[in-house]
Amino acid sequence: MNSGDSTIVIIIQLAILIFMIAAIWKVFSKAGQPGWASLVPFYNLYILLKIASKPGWWLILFFIPIANIIALILVNIGIARNLGKGGGFAAGLILLSFIFYPILGFGSAKYSEK
């Protein structure tokens, strides 16, 4: 691979990164949270917990192996539920988040804490 090819790959990766940041920013905004919070490490996890209606102490679970995977699954289920989506959409958030978060952010989903 020459340098021209790697430049194109980097540009594509940056475009995808910017698109995902915008999508998650929109999800935060829909939930009544500041969009900029999606950019701050650890604080963004805390806000995701709030959006998913989970207690803030769950942030500790993200530092424990295996528990972090379970917590992330439960948080994604909570986010899907609070944005009016079902179990299938939650599975999409868990397995294909780069597709399903933009659907939440740019789609017609409305936040309602349950």
Side-chain angles (χ1 to χ4, degrees), residues 30-74:
K30 282 184 178 188
Q33 301 297 328
W36 59 263
S38 64
L39 302 174
V40 182
F42 303 111
Y43 183 61
N44 60 6
L45 283 175
Y46 177 74
I47 298 298
L48 277 175
L49 288 169
K50 287 176 67 174
I51 293 170
S53 301
K54 303 296 182 205
W57 66 264
W58 274 33
L59 189 61
I60 296 167
L61 296 176
F62 286 97
F63 297 100
I64 302 171
I66 308 300
N68 59 2
I69 296 169
I70 296 166
L72 186 60
I73 289 169
L74 294 174

Side-chain angles (χ1 to χ4, degrees), residues 11-13 16 28 33 38 52 54 60 63 73 75 79 88 92-93 101 109:
I11 290 171
I12 291 170
Q13 289 174 339
I16 292 169
F28 275 49
Q33 301 297 328
S38 64
K54 303 296 182 205
I60 296 167
F63 297 100
I73 289 169
V75 166
I79 289 170
L93 282 175
Y101 269 102

